[in-house]
Amino acid sequence: MSDHVLTIGELARRAGVAASALRYWEELGLLPAPARISGQRRYPESAVALVGVILILRDAGFSLTEQKALLPLPGAGLDEWRRLARRKQAELDEQIARAQAARDAIEHALQCPHEDLRDCPNFSGLVAARLSGRSLQEAHRH
């Protein structure tokens, strides 16, 4: 292992994030508190990879709270990781289905021959379904 340490600025540049994000993640416990030399944070090289993991988890839709639960689990918490990952996967599937229903409805509206969508029987049916409490996803099944 290298003895090379990184300042907060160096870590921020290497990871492509703001130094303020690193301080915030440290405050939340996502990043372990680094050693300090003359009062300045000094991160080990391994912190770059850890920030990469945080970014991937964020991109995958995990909240900071969920990330905090996942990060301290290197190998020991595989069941917990899988439980959280399956839950996130189900959430993403639901988001994708909602987005696809919205896209399909917009696509239909773009191709609708009626000048005013309110004159379209399909659109009127969609409005009625939404007003009766059905989601766009339930109401726009073609």
Side-chain angles (χ1 to χ4, degrees):
M1 184 166 153
S2 171
D3 290 326
H4 183 69
V5 292
L6 306 169
T7 65
I8 194 166
E10 290 169 327
L11 177 57
R13 277 189 296 284
R14 296 251 318 258
V17 300
S20 59
L22 298 173
R23 285 189 290 273
Y24 183 60
W25 294 339
E26 179 186 332
E27 183 182 315
L28 293 176
L30 292 174
L31 282 176
R36 295 202 181 238
I37 298 175
S38 300
Q40 295 182 333
R41 291 171 170 86
R42 297 289 191 247
Y43 294 91
E45 283 280 336
S46 61
V48 177
L50 180 55
V51 171
V53 170
I54 292 168
L55 294 173
I56 288 172
L57 290 173
R58 180 188 68 187
D59 291 349
F62 287 95
S63 69
L64 293 171
T65 301
E66 290 168 330
Q67 289 182 43
K68 188 173 179 183
L70 290 170
L71 284 174
L73 305 173
L78 189 55
D79 289 340
E80 179 67 2
W81 159 250
R82 286 187 174 144
R83 185 186 69 74
L84 288 171
R86 283 187 185 104
R87 188 178 76 210
K88 183 55 64 182
Q89 187 177 41
E91 288 173 18
L92 291 171
D93 287 344
E94 181 61 29
Q95 288 175 6
I96 290 166
R98 282 193 311 268
Q100 186 61 51
R103 187 184 189 295
D104 291 348
I106 290 169
E107 181 67 29
H108 176 83
L110 288 170
Q111 294 179 9
C112 184
H114 296 89
E115 253 184 67
D116 186 337
L117 275 178
R118 292 173 292 186
D119 295 333
C120 174
N122 288 328
F123 185 75
S124 296
L126 189 61
V127 169
R130 279 301 288 127
L131 292 173
S132 73
R134 292 171 51 201
S135 70
L136 176 61
Q137 185 179 344
E138 294 167 326
H140 193 270
R141 296 191 190 264
H142 281 85

PDB file of all heavy atoms in Angstrom, residues 113-137:
ATOM      1  N   PRO A 113     -54.666  12.986 -34.247  1.00  0.00           N
ATOM      2  CA  PRO A 113     -55.139  13.822 -35.361  1.00  0.00           C
ATOM      3  C   PRO A 113     -56.000  15.009 -34.918  1.00  0.00           C
ATOM      4  O   PRO A 113     -56.246  15.908 -35.715  1.00  0.00           O
ATOM      5  CB  PRO A 113     -55.959  12.843 -36.217  1.00  0.00           C
ATOM      6  CG  PRO A 113     -56.429  11.812 -35.258  1.00  0.00           C
ATOM      7  CD  PRO A 113     -55.342  11.693 -34.217  1.00  0.00           C
ATOM      8  N   HIS A 114     -56.432  15.037 -33.676  1.00  0.00           N
ATOM      9  CA  HIS A 114     -57.275  16.128 -33.192  1.00  0.00           C
ATOM     10  C   HIS A 114     -56.421  17.359 -32.883  1.00  0.00           C
ATOM     11  O   HIS A 114     -55.372  17.260 -32.262  1.00  0.00           O
ATOM     12  CB  HIS A 114     -58.048  15.699 -31.935  1.00  0.00           C
ATOM     13  CG  HIS A 114     -59.017  14.600 -32.189  1.00  0.00           C
ATOM     14  ND1 HIS A 114     -58.673  13.271 -32.105  1.00  0.00           N
ATOM     15  CD2 HIS A 114     -60.326  14.638 -32.561  1.00  0.00           C
ATOM     16  CE1 HIS A 114     -59.719  12.521 -32.390  1.00  0.00           C
ATOM     17  NE2 HIS A 114     -60.739  13.332 -32.676  1.00  0.00           N
ATOM     18  N   GLU A 115     -56.910  18.508 -33.358  1.00  0.00           N
ATOM     19  CA  GLU A 115     -56.177  19.751 -33.097  1.00  0.00           C
ATOM     20  C   GLU A 115     -56.155  20.058 -31.605  1.00  0.00           C
ATOM     21  O   GLU A 115     -55.168  20.541 -31.079  1.00  0.00           O
ATOM     22  CB  GLU A 115     -56.818  20.915 -33.853  1.00  0.00           C
ATOM     23  CG  GLU A 115     -55.974  21.342 -35.020  1.00  0.00           C
ATOM     24  CD  GLU A 115     -56.563  22.546 -35.707  1.00  0.00           C
ATOM     25  OE1 GLU A 115     -56.591  23.622 -35.110  1.00  0.00           O
ATOM     26  OE2 GLU A 115     -56.971  22.363 -36.864  1.00  0.00           O
ATOM     27  N   ASP A 116     -57.262  19.822 -30.941  1.00  0.00           N
ATOM     28  CA  ASP A 116     -57.382  20.044 -29.497  1.00  0.00           C
ATOM     29  C   ASP A 116     -57.472  18.673 -28.832  1.00  0.00           C
ATOM     30  O   ASP A 116     -58.414  17.921 -29.095  1.00  0.00           O
ATOM     31  CB  ASP A 116     -58.627  20.883 -29.205  1.00  0.00           C
ATOM     32  CG  ASP A 116     -58.743  21.282 -27.751  1.00  0.00           C
ATOM     33  OD1 ASP A 116     -58.152  20.598 -26.878  1.00  0.00           O
ATOM     34  OD2 ASP A 116     -59.432  22.276 -27.472  1.00  0.00           O
ATOM     35  N   LEU A 117     -56.507  18.361 -28.009  1.00  0.00           N
ATOM     36  CA  LEU A 117     -56.485  17.043 -27.354  1.00  0.00           C
ATOM     37  C   LEU A 117     -57.765  16.771 -26.582  1.00  0.00           C
ATOM     38  O   LEU A 117     -58.154  15.610 -26.413  1.00  0.00           O
ATOM     39  CB  LEU A 117     -55.291  16.936 -26.406  1.00  0.00           C
ATOM     40  CG  LEU A 117     -53.974  16.513 -27.018  1.00  0.00           C
ATOM     41  CD1 LEU A 117     -52.871  16.504 -25.965  1.00  0.00           C
ATOM     42  CD2 LEU A 117     -54.069  15.152 -27.669  1.00  0.00           C
ATOM     43  N   ARG A 118     -58.430  17.813 -26.133  1.00  0.00           N
ATOM     44  CA  ARG A 118     -59.666  17.600 -25.375  1.00  0.00           C
ATOM     45  C   ARG A 118     -60.776  17.023 -26.246  1.00  0.00           C
ATOM     46  O   ARG A 118     -61.759  16.501 -25.726  1.00  0.00           O
ATOM     47  CB  ARG A 118     -60.107  18.912 -24.724  1.00  0.00           C
ATOM     48  CG  ARG A 118     -59.112  19.333 -23.622  1.00  0.00           C
ATOM     49  CD  ARG A 118     -59.418  20.690 -23.091  1.00  0.00           C
ATOM     50  NE  ARG A 118     -59.146  21.655 -24.172  1.00  0.00           N
ATOM     51  CZ  ARG A 118     -59.190  22.960 -24.033  1.00  0.00           C
ATOM     52  NH1 ARG A 118     -59.511  23.489 -22.883  1.00  0.00           N
ATOM     53  NH2 ARG A 118     -58.913  23.760 -25.046  1.00  0.00           N
ATOM     54  N   ASP A 119     -60.605  17.076 -27.565  1.00  0.00           N
ATOM     55  CA  ASP A 119     -61.572  16.479 -28.485  1.00  0.00           C
ATOM     56  C   ASP A 119     -61.260  15.013 -28.773  1.00  0.00           C
ATOM     57  O   ASP A 119     -62.056  14.318 -29.409  1.00  0.00           O
ATOM     58  CB  ASP A 119     -61.606  17.253 -29.812  1.00  0.00           C
ATOM     59  CG  ASP A 119     -62.114  18.671 -29.644  1.00  0.00           C
ATOM     60  OD1 ASP A 119     -62.891  18.912 -28.692  1.00  0.00           O
ATOM     61  OD2 ASP A 119     -61.726  19.536 -30.463  1.00  0.00           O
ATOM     62  N   CYS A 120     -60.119  14.533 -28.331  1.00  0.00           N
ATOM     63  CA  CYS A 120     -59.692  13.151 -28.592  1.00  0.00           C
ATOM     64  C   CYS A 120     -60.372  12.205 -27.602  1.00  0.00           C
ATOM     65  O   CYS A 120     -60.279  12.401 -26.386  1.00  0.00           O
ATOM     66  CB  CYS A 120     -58.176  13.055 -28.444  1.00  0.00           C
ATOM     67  SG  CYS A 120     -57.540  11.371 -28.576  1.00  0.00           S
ATOM     68  N   PRO A 121     -61.071  11.185 -28.096  1.00  0.00           N
ATOM     69  CA  PRO A 121     -61.735  10.239 -27.189  1.00  0.00           C
ATOM     70  C   PRO A 121     -60.741   9.503 -26.287  1.00  0.00           C
ATOM     71  O   PRO A 121     -61.043   9.229 -25.118  1.00  0.00           O
ATOM     72  CB  PRO A 121     -62.462   9.259 -28.112  1.00  0.00           C
ATOM     73  CG  PRO A 121     -62.267   9.744 -29.499  1.00  0.00           C
ATOM     74  CD  PRO A 121     -61.323  10.888 -29.496  1.00  0.00           C
ATOM     75  N   ASN A 122     -59.556   9.196 -26.815  1.00  0.00           N
ATOM     76  CA  ASN A 122     -58.551   8.522 -25.981  1.00  0.00           C
ATOM     77  C   ASN A 122     -58.100   9.434 -24.843  1.00  0.00           C
ATOM     78  O   ASN A 122     -57.947   8.999 -23.705  1.00  0.00           O
ATOM     79  CB  ASN A 122     -57.347   8.105 -26.816  1.00  0.00           C
ATOM     80  CG  ASN A 122     -57.644   6.944 -27.723  1.00  0.00           C
ATOM     81  OD1 ASN A 122     -58.453   6.077 -27.411  1.00  0.00           O
ATOM     82  ND2 ASN A 122     -57.022   6.928 -28.890  1.00  0.00           N
ATOM     83  N   PHE A 123     -57.862  10.703 -25.156  1.00  0.00           N
ATOM     84  CA  PHE A 123     -57.438  11.654 -24.136  1.00  0.00           C
ATOM     85  C   PHE A 123     -58.550  11.857 -23.102  1.00  0.00           C
ATOM     86  O   PHE A 123     -58.298  11.889 -21.902  1.00  0.00           O
ATOM     87  CB  PHE A 123     -57.035  12.985 -24.775  1.00  0.00           C
ATOM     88  CG  PHE A 123     -56.475  13.974 -23.788  1.00  0.00           C
ATOM     89  CD1 PHE A 123     -55.182  13.815 -23.289  1.00  0.00           C
ATOM     90  CD2 PHE A 123     -57.226  15.050 -23.355  1.00  0.00           C
ATOM     91  CE1 PHE A 123     -54.658  14.713 -22.377  1.00  0.00           C
ATOM     92  CE2 PHE A 123     -56.710  15.960 -22.445  1.00  0.00           C
ATOM     93  CZ  PHE A 123     -55.421  15.790 -21.945  1.00  0.00           C
ATOM     94  N   SER A 124     -59.794  11.960 -23.564  1.00  0.00           N
ATOM     95  CA  SER A 124     -60.928  12.109 -22.648  1.00  0.00           C
ATOM     96  C   SER A 124     -61.037  10.908 -21.714  1.00  0.00           C
ATOM     97  O   SER A 124     -61.314  11.060 -20.525  1.00  0.00           O
ATOM     98  CB  SER A 124     -62.236  12.274 -23.432  1.00  0.00           C
ATOM     99  OG  SER A 124     -62.199  13.476 -24.174  1.00  0.00           O
ATOM    100  N   GLY A 125     -60.810   9.726 -22.253  1.00  0.00           N
ATOM    101  CA  GLY A 125     -60.820   8.517 -21.426  1.00  0.00           C
ATOM    102  C   GLY A 125     -59.695   8.532 -20.395  1.00  0.00           C
ATOM    103  O   GLY A 125     -59.879   8.114 -19.246  1.00  0.00           O
ATOM    104  N   LEU A 126     -58.566   9.036 -20.800  1.00  0.00           N
ATOM    105  CA  LEU A 126     -57.416   9.143 -19.897  1.00  0.00           C
ATOM    106  C   LEU A 126     -57.715  10.126 -18.766  1.00  0.00           C
ATOM    107  O   LEU A 126     -57.446   9.855 -17.594  1.00  0.00           O
ATOM    108  CB  LEU A 126     -56.184   9.576 -20.682  1.00  0.00           C
ATOM    109  CG  LEU A 126     -54.843   9.541 -19.985  1.00  0.00           C
ATOM    110  CD1 LEU A 126     -54.485   8.139 -19.552  1.00  0.00           C
ATOM    111  CD2 LEU A 126     -53.772  10.092 -20.917  1.00  0.00           C
ATOM    112  N   VAL A 127     -58.320  11.262 -19.118  1.00  0.00           N
ATOM    113  CA  VAL A 127     -58.688  12.265 -18.116  1.00  0.00           C
ATOM    114  C   VAL A 127     -59.683  11.655 -17.128  1.00  0.00           C
ATOM    115  O   VAL A 127     -59.533  11.789 -15.903  1.00  0.00           O
ATOM    116  CB  VAL A 127     -59.260  13.536 -18.781  1.00  0.00           C
ATOM    117  CG1 VAL A 127     -59.886  14.462 -17.751  1.00  0.00           C
ATOM    118  CG2 VAL A 127     -58.174  14.257 -19.567  1.00  0.00           C
ATOM    119  N   ALA A 128     -60.687  10.972 -17.636  1.00  0.00           N
ATOM    120  CA  ALA A 128     -61.695  10.358 -16.770  1.00  0.00           C
ATOM    121  C   ALA A 128     -61.058   9.319 -15.841  1.00  0.00           C
ATOM    122  O   ALA A 128     -61.386   9.248 -14.643  1.00  0.00           O
ATOM    123  CB  ALA A 128     -62.798   9.719 -17.618  1.00  0.00           C
ATOM    124  N   ALA A 129     -60.145   8.544 -16.374  1.00  0.00           N
ATOM    125  CA  ALA A 129     -59.480   7.526 -15.560  1.00  0.00           C
ATOM    126  C   ALA A 129     -58.653   8.168 -14.442  1.00  0.00           C
ATOM    127  O   ALA A 129     -58.675   7.709 -13.295  1.00  0.00           O
ATOM    128  CB  ALA A 129     -58.598   6.644 -16.435  1.00  0.00           C
ATOM    129  N   ARG A 130     -57.932   9.239 -14.779  1.00  0.00           N
ATOM    130  CA  ARG A 130     -57.115   9.931 -13.750  1.00  0.00           C
ATOM    131  C   ARG A 130     -58.017  10.531 -12.679  1.00  0.00           C
ATOM    132  O   ARG A 130     -57.720  10.485 -11.510  1.00  0.00           O
ATOM    133  CB  ARG A 130     -56.252  11.028 -14.395  1.00  0.00           C
ATOM    134  CG  ARG A 130     -55.002  10.527 -15.036  1.00  0.00           C
ATOM    135  CD  ARG A 130     -54.069   9.795 -14.058  1.00  0.00           C
ATOM    136  NE  ARG A 130     -53.430  10.741 -13.144  1.00  0.00           N
ATOM    137  CZ  ARG A 130     -53.453  10.627 -11.823  1.00  0.00           C
ATOM    138  NH1 ARG A 130     -54.043   9.608 -11.243  1.00  0.00           N
ATOM    139  NH2 ARG A 130     -52.854  11.507 -11.068  1.00  0.00           N
ATOM    140  N   LEU A 131     -59.141  11.122 -13.115  1.00  0.00           N
ATOM    141  CA  LEU A 131     -60.059  11.734 -12.153  1.00  0.00           C
ATOM    142  C   LEU A 131     -60.726  10.694 -11.263  1.00  0.00           C
ATOM    143  O   LEU A 131     -61.164  11.016 -10.160  1.00  0.00           O
ATOM    144  CB  LEU A 131     -61.101  12.590 -12.876  1.00  0.00           C
ATOM    145  CG  LEU A 131     -60.548  13.853 -13.543  1.00  0.00           C
ATOM    146  CD1 LEU A 131     -61.626  14.536 -14.365  1.00  0.00           C
ATOM    147  CD2 LEU A 131     -59.943  14.805 -12.511  1.00  0.00           C
ATOM    148  N   SER A 132     -60.776   9.459 -11.724  1.00  0.00           N
ATOM    149  CA  SER A 132     -61.358   8.389 -10.900  1.00  0.00           C
ATOM    150  C   SER A 132     -60.317   7.757  -9.976  1.00  0.00           C
ATOM    151  O   SER A 132     -60.625   6.817  -9.257  1.00  0.00           O
ATOM    152  CB  SER A 132     -61.998   7.314 -11.786  1.00  0.00           C
ATOM    153  OG  SER A 132     -60.990   6.539 -12.430  1.00  0.00           O
ATOM    154  N   GLY A 133     -59.088   8.291 -10.021  1.00  0.00           N
ATOM    155  CA  GLY A 133     -58.068   7.817  -9.090  1.00  0.00           C
ATOM    156  C   GLY A 133     -57.048   6.866  -9.674  1.00  0.00           C
ATOM    157  O   GLY A 133     -56.137   6.432  -8.971  1.00  0.00           O
ATOM    158  N   ARG A 134     -57.185   6.525 -10.937  1.00  0.00           N
ATOM    159  CA  ARG A 134     -56.194   5.637 -11.552  1.00  0.00           C
ATOM    160  C   ARG A 134     -54.960   6.445 -11.932  1.00  0.00           C
ATOM    161  O   ARG A 134     -55.053   7.607 -12.307  1.00  0.00           O
ATOM    162  CB  ARG A 134     -56.797   4.939 -12.771  1.00  0.00           C
ATOM    163  CG  ARG A 134     -57.893   3.954 -12.362  1.00  0.00           C
ATOM    164  CD  ARG A 134     -58.687   3.376 -13.509  1.00  0.00           C
ATOM    165  NE  ARG A 134     -57.828   2.825 -14.551  1.00  0.00           N
ATOM    166  CZ  ARG A 134     -58.252   2.641 -15.798  1.00  0.00           C
ATOM    167  NH1 ARG A 134     -59.476   2.978 -16.168  1.00  0.00           N
ATOM    168  NH2 ARG A 134     -57.444   2.129 -16.708  1.00  0.00           N
ATOM    169  N   SER A 135     -53.807   5.829 -11.858  1.00  0.00           N
ATOM    170  CA  SER A 135     -52.557   6.483 -12.262  1.00  0.00           C
ATOM    171  C   SER A 135     -52.486   6.552 -13.777  1.00  0.00           C
ATOM    172  O   SER A 135     -53.191   5.825 -14.480  1.00  0.00           O
ATOM    173  CB  SER A 135     -51.351   5.712 -11.730  1.00  0.00           C
ATOM    174  OG  SER A 135     -51.225   4.471 -12.404  1.00  0.00           O
ATOM    175  N   LEU A 136     -51.617   7.406 -14.273  1.00  0.00           N
ATOM    176  CA  LEU A 136     -51.388   7.474 -15.716  1.00  0.00           C
ATOM    177  C   LEU A 136     -50.968   6.104 -16.238  1.00  0.00           C
ATOM    178  O   LEU A 136     -51.420   5.657 -17.288  1.00  0.00           O
ATOM    179  CB  LEU A 136     -50.294   8.515 -16.039  1.00  0.00           C
ATOM    180  CG  LEU A 136     -49.883   8.627 -17.490  1.00  0.00           C
ATOM    181  CD1 LEU A 136     -51.053   9.035 -18.372  1.00  0.00           C
ATOM    182  CD2 LEU A 136     -48.736   9.624 -17.642  1.00  0.00           C
ATOM    183  N   GLN A 137     -50.166   5.435 -15.483  1.00  0.00           N
ATOM    184  CA  GLN A 137     -49.681   4.104 -15.861  1.00  0.00           C
ATOM    185  C   GLN A 137     -50.850   3.119 -15.989  1.00  0.00           C
ATOM    186  O   GLN A 137     -50.908   2.346 -16.940  1.00  0.00           O
ATOM    187  CB  GLN A 137     -48.709   3.646 -14.783  1.00  0.00           C
ATOM    188  CG  GLN A 137     -48.003   2.366 -15.010  1.00  0.00           C
ATOM    189  CD  GLN A 137     -47.058   2.093 -13.849  1.00  0.00           C
ATOM    190  OE1 GLN A 137     -46.738   2.953 -13.072  1.00  0.00           O
ATOM    191  NE2 GLN A 137     -46.624   0.857 -13.744  1.00  0.00           N
TER     192      GLN A 137
END
